[in-house]
Amino acid sequence: MIRVENLSKTYHVPKRSTGVKAAFKALVKRETVAVEAIRDVSFHVAPGEMVGYIGPNGAGKSTTIKIMSGILVPDSGTCEILGRTPWKERMAHVKDIGVVFGQRSQLWWDVPVQDSFDLLRDIYRVPAESYRKTADRLTEILDLADLLTTPVRSLSLGQRMRCELAASLLHSPKLLFLDEPTIGLDAVSKLAVRQFIRELNREAGTTVILTTHDMNDIEALTNRILLIGKGHILYDGGLDHLREQYDTVRTVTVDYREGQIPPVLDGVEMSRLGEGRVRYRVDTAIVKVSGVVARLSAELELKDVTIDAQPVEELIVRLYREHRI
Amino acid sequence: MRKGNAAAYFSSFRIRLMQNLQYRVAALAGLMTQFFWGFMLIMILEAFYRNSDASIPMSLPQLASYIWLQQAFLVFVALWFRDPEMFGMITSGNVAYELCRPTNLYYFWHVRLLAQRISGAALRCVPILLVATLLPDPYRLRPPADLAAFLLFLLTLFTGVLINVSISMFIYILTFVTLSPVGSLMIIGTVGEFCSGMILPIPLMPEWLRNIVMVLPFRLAGDLPFRIWSGHIGMQEALTGFLTQLLWLGALMFFGQLSMRKVLNKAVLQGG
Amino acid sequence: MNLYLRYVKMVFRCQMQYRVSFLLTMLAQMLIPFSVFAGMLLLFQRFHLLGSWQVDEVMLCFAVIHMAFALSECFARGFDMFAQVVSQGEFDRILVRPRGTVLQVLGARFEFSRMGRLCLSVVVMGIAVSRLSIAWNPLKVLSLVLMVSCGTLVFAGIFMLAATLCFWTLQGLEVVNIFTDGGREMAQYPLDIYKKEITRFFTFVIPFGMVNYLPLRYLLDRPGSMAWHALLPLCATLFLVPCVLLWRFGVRRYQSAGS
């Protein structure tokens, strides 16, 4: 589906200097600074896969997305999507992809959503029959029936995002790029969007590339993540594997009968949360969780035990720190 | 204006001036555009003058000077020259922040607009005036008739900008009511442009139209000082013109402040 | 073409949402060229003749160029406002759609309030034609239609050049006004009143002379004009070729440099 090999891109940003002399010089010849956006980025994506593309701001995420959607031409490297090079066969390529930029709308602001859809149908030259089928299905799944006659400007952000999703799927693309699709949405809308993407991937088999800062999106949608930092791919693999490798910390929270004294355990950090409640931070690389629980149940009369893994955010922060980005 | 506030107005003025001086390339572009316009206007008038009998109230060389001065000080004269940020403030209701400042909003904005116009002209007028003086006849800009005329030119030019800013303040005040600056800006801008002789130099207007235009304040910003420079207006008349300017300025600022206060009271009542 | 009309319809409906403001803007848009027109009439009142040209003849000249400009400003507004289109990220969106960039940029913006100028120029043309005793024949009618339509294309080409400039810099775009607004103001008078160099520039480089001055001479049966001058506006459309090529070059540059 997607084969990206050794993709590199450097921007030349005009150097901004102060002073009158420099400004006049700039009129004649502009000095530029080379900024390396991505370097030697390679990855493959199989049909029907869902991939989370994550990294801090300015890491090169949007550069990669722009190259893959044919907006930008890389300096070197190859990119083949559905057998085509995006920037060489732009028109043919973009027919097969859908793009949602979470921060920008593709709908016409002042007219009902339906009109935008109709215009998109003409832009993508979708045959009437299949358009009707797709539109009906999308309307049903995304619950758009009431929204279609409303002008976009009076939609809420969550409603608008649902319409955006539908708008970029009207031509039934095989590949969907979602750039921060849940940004700014409330909890309910986020759930609805995630639910929809999951169904789309499962039922239509659409390949989805998702960039986001919300790790819950990743957790809810995909197992495979691509982590990019400073223009390099730092990690490519499953979320599970990432957990196994880096996520060794568990917290064990215990409720016990008041009056008892919780034991101090070797290699385990303990913090009291109040009378009858204590939390242990266990690094499973050193001590086994089962051993800790066994010790505790031996020494205390336990009322409740909960074992929590780290939130994914913390994991990613650790990864960032490890790679110094 | 209370004395303690003068510093605040001055620093607002300075920031505006510096900001606008940043855009040197834009200024260069503007310069070229204005040269083109000046040339074109003079060429058109030159073509008309070729068929003229003797009864024309202004000679072509005088007219050329008049037009170059118009171009050099376009930013002083043009009413459509605007500050989109201020319009944004009014329409979005962010004007509330400006109201929190311990300054008189009318003067504060007046100074801000003045700074924009002065910085805009500062960059453009010198090169235009310089080059225009070096052009061959009949396109040449002639130096002022004498020193007294030049001084009176400067005086009336400056008072003229103040008048112009006071007029444009009404456009901003009106925006509080209409909430869209486009219509009033275009209508006042166009009427003002015509009545200040930017489209057809006032000396060339027919009698009836000139009588109307002379009563309105628009000509005081450009037409009056430019004609003083070119010697088309004598000393006596120039002084009368200056007095008229002062009267208009006083009236415009008085009514401007009055209506500003009214409009603001209303805006506050509505909850902004 | 079909898609283009859909774009037109869409944006028209958008602008109709604000009817009062639309009508006011349109009225104001009519006022601006009207003041220029009034200035021209007043000059004629004082001087009677402009070179060898009568007021009615110049009115026709004025009407043609303003009509072309208004149409172009209305329908090629996407190029006129391209700095905004780029800065709002709309151009990225255009690139991920399977249609030509020119068509999509054209479709991105329409400014129907610019019809105010069109209305005025229609009126002026009506007056001019009714007062001039032109010996109409099919070729002359065709010529007049071509003058307006090809003039629209010439202005569109200039807007396109200006838009192309946006791929390199957003500063100093005001210079382009020399060719849009300046070209319009200049070509509203017969070009022979200007210096020769300027007449030549606006005939052979930016072909206002071919859509206005030269065919106008034919319409008015001026001495030395020939029937083939009636078709010169078609020639003027060649101007679009370098414009489109440069535009393509600009798009490629955008794709390799990013925004």
Side-chain angles (χ1 to χ4, degrees), chain C residues 6 72 109 155 182 199 207 222 254:
Chain C
R6 297 289 311 238
S72 170
R109 297 270 192 298
F155 276 116
T199 312
R222 293 221 148 214
Y254 178 87

Side-chain angles (χ1 to χ4, degrees), chain A residues 59-87:
Chain A
K61 271 184 314 206
S62 64
T63 301
T64 326
I65 297 283
K66 277 185 177 177
I67 292 174
M68 288 196 290
S69 49
I71 296 174
L72 206 59
V73 182
D75 296 334
S76 63
T78 57
C79 171
E80 206 185 283
I81 295 177
L82 292 157
R84 296 190 199 97
T85 304
W87 58 93

Side-chain angles (χ1 to χ4, degrees), chain A residues 20 23 27, chain B residues 24-25 28:
Chain A
V20 180
L27 281 179
Chain B
R24 296 181 199 90
V25 181
L28 203 71

Side-chain angles (χ1 to χ4, degrees), chain A residues 9 11 66 70-73 90-91 94 99 101 106 110 115-116 118-125 153, chain C residues 3 6-7 10 13-14 17-18 88-89 92-93 95-100 168 255-259:
Chain A
K9 177 81 201 172
Y11 294 116
K66 277 185 177 177
I71 296 174
L72 206 59
V73 182
R90 187 180 68 80
M91 296 259 214
V94 295
V99 186
F101 296 114
Q106 60 178 319
D110 288 315
D115 290 323
S116 292
D118 289 347
L119 184 54
L120 284 168
R121 178 195 65 200
D122 289 347
I123 291 177
Y124 283 97
R125 298 189 173 100
R153 61 164 189 270
Chain C
L3 179 65
R6 297 289 311 238
Y7 272 124
M10 183 71 119
R13 292 192 52 185
C14 285
Q17 297 277 313
Y18 309 95
Q88 290 179 353
D92 283 352
R93 174 60 67 189
L95 284 175
V96 299
R97 287 192 173 140
R99 288 303 183 104
W168 278 270
Q255 283 185 292
S256 68
S259 43

